[in-house]
Amino acid sequence: MALKIIREADPIAVSQISVCIHGGPGTGKTTAANTTEKPIILDFDSGSHRSALRKDVWQFDNWADVIGITKDNFSPYSTVVIDTAGRALEMLAIDIIEQDPKMGRGGQLSIQGYGVLKSQFTAWMNLLKSYKKDIVLICHSEEKQRGEDVVERLDVVGGSKNEIYKTCDVMGRLAVRNGKRTLNCNPDEAAFGKNPANLPVLDVPDISSDDKFLANLIKRVKDAINTETEAQKPAVEFLESWKAKLGEALTPADFNTLADDIRAAQCSDAVRVLVKKSISDTASKKGISFNKKSKVFEKVEA
């Protein structure tokens, strides 16, 4: 099988992302998830009946039911909602202990069991991603005292919460402020966040006026990521052309010409700095140094 190599200057289109929405009770997490594009709710909390705008729901009695779902089962849907990730992990933990009692003690996972939990949850998330669906993880959050400050953290067992942090492209917390729901994806001292699209703090509308709130947000994030990737293409191509020039440079005169060229080149300051450093580093490897007094490249005397 021939490998498909994506060249450095070629953009990689992002068609699927993972989003984590966390917040306290009653903040409307599941309702927000129902505003995604063609969602299927994997209801581990058995609480979908409390949400507005309820869409298709799967409920489970055990983890065997979960892993019995196939790619074809997901075909009618565009978004997979895990509600909640914490309860999904608890169900997986029970299954791990049932399969191997050595992994637990007194109904709780052992250290080794937590390692298995982390690896199996990560594998399951990777499987869901392979179906090319957007994924929304709903998480309860818990408040913890840190000195005089109160911080919010995901209410998730074991080291798997770190896997959620790593696997998600976007992470935001739902909260109610002055009677209004808001979604804040910005990280700060009080809570984690991920905001690749530089979204402001968003007011969450009433679903009667906007039943595509999260679907539009996900599209907005994809568009921002893809636009940024496309915008990088000219800079990458510019740098590629300079790699070739540096490879051909052999003498101090060659490097002095390159130094003049980059000073006059039409490029961003960030790219200019990178090229200047590459010129200096490449010259040094070839026994040529920059004389700061005369401001020219010279052959290093042995």
Side-chain angles (χ1 to χ4, degrees):
M1 181 183 69
L3 292 175
K4 180 182 178 182
I5 299 176
I6 302 174
R7 300 299 176 186
E8 188 175 6
D10 296 335
I12 300 176
V14 174
S15 60
Q16 176 271 338
I17 64 171
S18 299
V19 179
C20 176
I21 303 294
H22 64 96
T27 51
K29 299 183 292 296
T30 303
T31 298
N34 281 322
T35 66
T36 55
E37 188 69 28
K38 296 180 183 177
I40 176 65
I41 312 296
L42 309 190
D43 183 13
F44 294 93
D45 259 7
S46 298
S48 288
H49 62 281
R50 296 191 297 269
S51 69
L53 200 71
R54 184 178 68 78
K55 300 298 179 65
D56 289 3
V57 173
W58 286 334
Q59 293 183 331
F60 311 98
D61 294 322
N62 52 61
W63 192 253
D65 292 339
V66 178
I67 60 177
I69 303 173
T70 67
K71 182 178 181 179
D72 289 341
N73 295 136
F74 286 106
S75 60
Y77 307 103
S78 300
T79 310
V80 178
V81 178
I82 302 170
D83 187 10
T84 60
R87 298 297 179 262
L89 285 161
E90 289 174 7
M91 185 178 289
L92 175 55
I94 291 171
D95 183 75
I96 290 170
I97 295 173
E98 287 179 347
Q99 297 297 323
D100 186 353
K102 295 178 183 177
M103 294 295 162
R105 180 178 301 172
Q108 299 294 319
L109 287 170
S110 63
I111 293 176
Q112 186 179 3
Y114 275 117
V116 174
L117 178 76
K118 177 180 174 180
S119 63
Q120 290 195 12
F121 180 74
T122 301
W124 182 58
M125 284 295 298
N126 289 335
L127 178 65
L128 291 181
K129 286 184 177 183
S130 74
Y131 298 157
K132 304 302 181 185
K133 311 292 183 182
D134 291 320
I135 298 173
V136 176
L137 295 99
I138 302 299
C139 293
H140 295 300
S141 61
E142 57 180 348
E143 294 184 348
K144 293 187 175 182
Q145 196 74 31
R146 179 177 290 175
E148 297 182 356
D149 299 321
V150 176
V151 298
E152 292 183 39
R153 292 294 181 260
L154 302 187
D155 187 8
V156 176
V157 297
S160 295
K161 68 176 62 177
N162 293 324
E163 296 306 309
I164 293 175
Y165 295 146
K166 289 187 289 185
T167 196
C168 286
D169 303 287
V170 182
M171 177 177 288
R173 59 193 181 279
L174 273 173
V176 179
R177 299 284 185 267
N178 299 320
K180 291 185 177 181
R181 286 186 172 86
T182 61
L183 177 63
N184 185 0
C185 297
N186 298 303
D188 56 33
E189 296 84 354
F192 287 117
K194 279 188 179 181
N195 192 359
N198 294 315
L199 300 169
V201 178
L202 301 169
D203 289 332
V204 181
D206 188 294
I207 61 168
S208 63
S209 61
D210 185 359
D211 63 356
K212 292 294 183 183
F213 169 70
L214 210 52
N216 292 332
L217 182 146
I218 289 172
K219 182 180 184 302
R220 186 173 171 181
V221 171
K222 289 179 185 176
D223 289 345
I225 293 173
N226 287 325
T227 299
E228 182 178 353
T229 302
E230 185 65 30
Q232 291 174 344
K233 187 175 180 179
V236 173
E237 291 175 340
F238 184 86
L239 291 170
E240 280 294 304
S241 69
W242 273 88
K243 286 182 182 179
K245 293 178 183 179
L246 288 168
E248 296 171 356
L250 298 173
T251 66
D254 293 336
F255 286 99
N256 285 323
T257 299
L258 291 178
D260 290 338
D261 288 348
I262 192 58
R263 280 193 288 268
Q266 296 295 316
C267 64
S268 68
D269 290 340
V271 169
R272 199 184 316 279
V273 169
L274 286 174
V275 173
K276 284 183 175 181
K277 186 176 187 307
S278 294
I279 293 172
S280 179
D281 290 346
T282 304
S284 179
K285 291 177 182 177
K286 296 181 179 182
I288 297 169
S289 65
F290 185 72
N291 188 317
K292 293 183 179 180
K293 290 184 178 180
S294 61
K295 299 188 182 303
V296 295
F297 284 94
E298 299 174 344
K299 187 71 176 178
V300 177
E301 297 297 334

